[in-house]
Amino acid sequence: MTTFAHAMANNFFHFKRFSVFQDRCAMKVGTDGTLLGAWANGGKQILDIGTGTGLIALMMAQRFPNSHITAIDCDLDACLQAADNVSASPFANQIDVVNTSLQSFHSHSDESQSTGGMLQGPFDAIVCNPPFFENALQSPCGQRTTARHTISLSYSELFRGVDRLLGEEGEFSAIIPFDCRQRFEEEAALKGFFSSRVCAVSTTPQKAPRRFLLAFRRSPVATVENLRLVIGDDLYRTLLQDFLIHF
């Protein structure tokens, strides 16, 4: 079974249909982003917030060939890396990489002044592997701090941006550590979002979930989908079989 351990030590990671180089990015290819890219629902217009290497944008482009993905990141080096990864992939025509923060990004649905770039939206789907450490010791690496800590994008700002950019029937998907779930869902509720899908992620069948894949919509669904995934089980393999080479 493919693992992501060597991705943290190498400057690249090869998937079945594209490769991700990551020497200029603080956050490397890992289980979180790969699961989110394989699990999130898509649509014609997709926004990837904090794209980093471009991994999730590339996965969404592969899964939804008729979609257009706008991938944004506030870090210039990450955007340059993502743009290189996208241009070397079969999905270059589907993805635009934009160097901007979520707070500064505008879409066609905004009435405020635009940033002057290519505008898309409202979006049918928004995905984000968000910075999640709210009150933790920060990394001495400024780029890694931006990627992992909410200092640059709080949960409140994230959901404010999602509220501004997501279409009425759209879905927002994210992956969150188990101990951040309550705070994340509280912020979603404050912004008027309802849980639509939940997938608990455990490393072994005996262990409690360490991550949660969460999806939200503007209106409540009749039944919230609840799943549990264990790394290496049938659901894990089904989600990632079109991406991982050695499986």
Side-chain angles (χ1 to χ4, degrees):
M1 182 182 71
T2 296
T3 66
F4 298 96
H6 78 277
M8 299 299 292
N10 291 302
N11 289 330
F12 59 87
F13 194 96
H14 296 306
F15 292 85
K16 285 184 177 179
R17 297 189 60 191
F18 58 87
S19 294
V20 174
F21 288 83
Q22 53 189 5
D23 54 290
R24 285 175 281 173
C25 287
M27 297 307 295
K28 310 303 183 186
V29 172
T31 305
D32 286 5
T34 308
L35 283 176
L36 179 60
W39 180 82
N41 282 330
K44 293 289 289 184
Q45 295 284 349
I46 301 172
L47 176 64
D48 176 20
I49 299 171
T51 194
T53 61
L55 168 64
I56 294 173
L58 288 162
M59 294 181 73
M60 298 296 281
Q62 178 176 324
R63 292 176 59 217
F64 303 100
N66 295 320
S67 67
H68 181 274
I69 297 96
T70 303
I72 66 172
D73 203 294
C74 62
D75 183 80
L76 177 59
D77 284 338
C79 284
L80 293 172
Q81 184 110 75
D84 286 347
N85 288 332
V86 167
S87 64
S89 78
F91 313 111
N93 292 333
Q94 285 180 254
I95 303 171
D96 289 318
V97 180
V98 183
N99 179 208
T100 183
S101 66
L102 175 63
Q103 296 92 326
S104 300
F105 178 71
H106 297 281
S107 80
H108 283 314
S109 61
D110 291 322
E111 296 180 355
S112 53
Q113 183 177 0
S114 80
T115 57
M118 181 180 295
L119 300 184
Q120 302 292 336
F123 293 94
D124 304 303
I126 298 178
V127 292
C128 181
N129 183 6
F132 45 72
F133 292 128
E134 291 193 294
N135 297 295
L137 182 64
Q138 296 180 13
S139 166
C141 171
Q143 189 185 42
R144 190 170 176 83
T145 292
T146 298
R148 292 178 65 86
H149 294 259
T150 59
I151 188 172
S152 61
L153 183 64
S154 68
Y155 292 164
S156 178
E157 290 171 318
L158 173 59
F159 277 100
R160 188 178 301 121
V162 171
D163 184 37
R164 180 166 54 86
L165 297 166
L166 187 66
E168 286 301 314
E169 301 300 321
E171 187 170 84
F172 167 54
S173 302
I175 186 165
I176 287 293
F178 75 99
D179 52 351
C180 297
R181 179 184 177 183
Q182 181 178 348
R183 176 75 183 88
F184 202 73
E185 290 181 331
E186 287 173 351
E187 197 59 54
L190 285 172
K191 296 299 186 294
F193 286 95
F194 298 86
S195 179
S196 56
R197 297 193 299 144
V198 177
C199 182
V201 180
S202 300
T203 54
T204 70
Q206 295 77 26
K207 291 185 177 180
R210 301 298 299 175
R211 293 286 190 270
F212 283 93
L213 290 155
L214 304 174
F216 301 91
R217 289 182 173 270
R218 294 187 182 278
S219 300
V221 296
T223 303
V224 177
E225 177 187 280
N226 275 282
L227 299 174
R228 187 188 180 202
L229 176 152
V230 177
I231 301 299
D233 70 4
D234 288 344
L235 178 56
Y236 176 87
R237 290 176 176 273
T238 298
L239 285 174
L240 298 182
Q241 63 185 354
D242 292 333
F243 298 100
L244 300 186
I245 295 173
H246 303 293
F247 216 41

